[in-house]
Amino acid sequence: MAPADPIMGVAADFNRDPNPNKINLSSGIFKDENDNTPILQSVKEAESRILQNETTKAYSGIEGFPAFAEAVLPFIFGKEHEVLSSQRAVTAHAPGGSGALRVVGDFVHKTSPGTTVWVSDPTWSNHIQIFNAAGLKVEKYPYFDVQSNGLAFEKMMAVLKNIPAGDAIILHGCCHNPTGVDPSLEQWKQIADLVHARDILPIIDFAYQGFGTGIREDAIGPLELIRPEKEALICGSFSKNFALYNERTGSVTAVARDQQTADVVMSQLKVVIRSIYSCPPAHGGIIVSTILNDPDLRKQWEAELKQMRDRINAMRHLLAETMTAKGIPGDSSFITQQKGMFSFSGLTPTQVQRLRDEYSIYIIGNGRINVAAVTPSNVIPLCDAIAAVI
Ligand code: LMR
């Protein structure tokens, strides 16, 4: 029997737990204050328009429908970005962020099979699995500093300085998974300088755009990596910011040195895609392009995205305050500094296991808490249990 997935396996264990007071803080899913993961109203409205207007289920292109790329490119880069006017960026609709990463993995393996992919320590567990499955070697660079609960920037740069030219590096665009710790803009600039000076291929995993500070604000740091004539790959996801989790909707974007090369890259991406899943499942992609391309729906969606972001930030403060009120040792304020869905709690694997066995509280084995699933009603039992196990 294969071992259970470190994230999805915990969510499956939660579902099997008969305790009516169980709490699920495992997989990265947004919950409202009533512990539901609602379908956004903008998505409902887009779906009703799609159902009414749809006349065929014929295949899209291998890369998805043109309206998807037309909507997603300015979403990632902003309308005025140079890569749009020079037409050196191309996008395909992929089945979720994981699907986009696998396309990138297969593409890198096909075009440059000896490439090592460098991931942060820690990183999202599926990164390692996906790139290994694509036949690539994976190595780690330092990222999280346990003492400060912040970025281990000096250590990270020291390792980046020695990454061989031609290797690839995964950088989380924002809302780092699992730590919630992102580089500052100045640090992004230094990372970008080094990555390009050393001729390392940047792969930006941009799964949480809009969940940090805002859609454009979250892109400022990672877009430092997009420099004239330099290449980059970007894996996007609409699972979180459109709450389209089970519709498997993501994007794979390649930035090439010029338009001609971008066309060649897209031709290669299409070969890769065709051999894995032929063309993407259409529904989620049509929802995203319908919303992004319609000013009213887009406004409604942006307001819903802000509501989700505001709720998570409110829960960060509530969690930190309740931990302090319950006498949990240490300064909990770092929780309010972290961005996105997750907080790296520092709980040990033994403490995580006790939370599960004794209190039916499910968090990931590395101590990652999904703050987006903390609610005013579960925060007190959660903090009581944490106080009891540490
Ligand atoms: C997570 O990290 O929990 C989410 O991205 C869900 C997943 O696919 O692992």
Side-chain angles (χ1 to χ4, degrees):
M1 182 114 89
D5 182 78
I7 296 175
M8 295 306 193
V10 181
D13 289 345
F14 170 85
N15 289 336
R16 280 191 291 268
D17 186 335
N19 183 345
N21 299 319
K22 61 187 178 176
I23 299 174
N24 184 9
L25 304 175
S26 60
S27 54
I29 291 187
F30 175 84
K31 297 282 178 74
D32 64 16
E33 60 284 0
N34 301 316
D35 205 31
N36 297 319
T37 303
I39 301 173
L40 303 185
Q41 286 305 312
S42 49
V43 167
K44 275 281 186 206
E45 172 58 29
E47 284 185 309
S48 100
R49 290 189 199 176
I50 293 162
L51 265 186
Q52 257 175 11
N53 299 332
E54 195 173 52
T55 53
T56 177
K57 296 281 186 192
Y59 296 121
S60 70
I62 293 173
E63 71 280 38
F65 291 111
F68 182 82
E70 279 159 26
V72 168
L73 283 169
F75 174 72
I76 296 173
F77 296 102
K79 283 199 296 262
E80 312 296 335
H81 200 284
E82 165 274 321
V83 296
L84 269 55
S85 44
S86 62
Q87 299 187 322
R88 66 185 186 98
V90 286
T91 284
H93 166 197
S98 300
L101 285 159
R102 180 57 194 260
V103 169
V104 159
D106 281 7
F107 168 77
V108 170
H109 184 257
K110 183 173 166 26
T111 49
S112 190
T115 305
T116 296
V117 178
W118 293 75
V119 299
S120 62
D121 183 16
T123 194
W124 180 50
S125 49
N126 213 17
H127 277 153
I128 300 167
Q129 188 160 262
I130 287 173
F131 289 103
N132 280 162
L136 296 164
K137 207 171 147 223
V138 175
E139 295 276 2
K140 292 181 181 168
Y141 60 87
Y143 192 81
F144 187 67
D145 177 46
V146 182
Q147 305 307 325
S148 65
N149 285 301
L151 184 61
F153 186 64
E154 304 302 328
K155 286 189 186 150
M156 170 180 174
M157 294 298 272
V159 170
L160 261 54
K161 277 186 188 120
N162 290 309
I163 294 182
D167 276 359
I169 184 170
I170 307 281
L171 293 153
H172 301 221
C174 66
C175 310
H176 182 269
N177 180 2
T179 66
V181 173
D182 292 333
S184 67
L185 180 55
E186 181 49 37
Q187 288 168 336
W188 272 115
K189 286 183 181 156
Q190 291 183 42
I191 294 167
D193 286 347
L194 187 57
V195 161
H196 288 307
R198 293 206 54 77
D199 212 4
I200 301 165
L201 173 68
I203 302 173
I204 302 169
D205 183 347
F206 211 3
Y208 294 87
Q209 190 176 357
F211 258 69
T213 312
I215 297 164
R216 292 274 40 87
E217 292 86 339
D218 290 351
I220 295 172
L223 289 187
E224 278 297 320
L225 286 150
I226 310 303
R227 302 249 167 112
E229 294 183 20
K230 298 291 183 190
E231 296 172 341
L233 295 164
I234 305 174
C235 298
S237 168
F238 300 101
S239 295
K240 325 284 171 168
N241 49 18
F242 281 74
L244 282 176
Y245 306 92
N246 69 12
E247 296 292 354
R248 309 311 301 134
T249 312
S251 57
V252 51
T253 298
V255 179
R257 74 181 77 89
D258 51 39
Q259 184 188 357
Q260 210 181 356
T261 319
D263 292 343
V264 175
V265 171
M266 180 50 101
S267 73
Q268 294 289 353
L269 286 174
K270 288 197 322 201
V271 173
V272 167
I273 292 169
R274 177 77 171 135
S275 67
I276 322 179
Y277 53 84
S278 191
C279 63
H283 189 63
I286 302 176
I287 293 171
V288 168
S289 55
T290 301
I291 293 175
L292 290 180
N293 290 330
D294 180 285
D296 291 336
L297 277 180
R298 182 169 180 139
K299 206 166 148 213
Q300 186 183 11
W301 165 70
E302 285 190 14
E304 292 181 289
L305 174 61
K306 181 172 183 308
Q307 266 173 19
M308 291 194 279
R309 192 169 60 229
D310 288 350
R311 202 195 85 75
I312 300 173
N313 287 333
M315 288 307 102
R316 285 191 175 282
H317 286 272
L318 183 63
L319 181 59
E321 282 159 20
T322 315
M323 283 174 75
T324 307
K326 294 286 173 188
I328 293 170
D331 178 6
S332 301
S333 64
F334 69 88
I335 297 173
T336 63
Q337 311 300 317
Q338 298 169 338
K339 290 271 192 288
M341 280 190 162
F342 305 116
S343 179
F344 215 41
S345 64
L347 289 165
T348 64
T350 312
Q351 291 163 342
V352 170
Q353 193 62 43
R354 281 193 63 198
L355 284 177
R356 182 201 284 223
D357 295 345
E358 297 171 32
Y359 300 92
S360 290
I361 294 176
Y362 290 75
I363 70 174
I364 302 304
N366 59 11
R368 187 192 82 175
I369 289 180
N370 178 17
V371 187
V374 174
T375 65
S377 28
N378 69 24
V379 72
I380 291 183
L382 169 66
C383 291
D384 280 339
I386 293 176
V389 301
I390 60 176

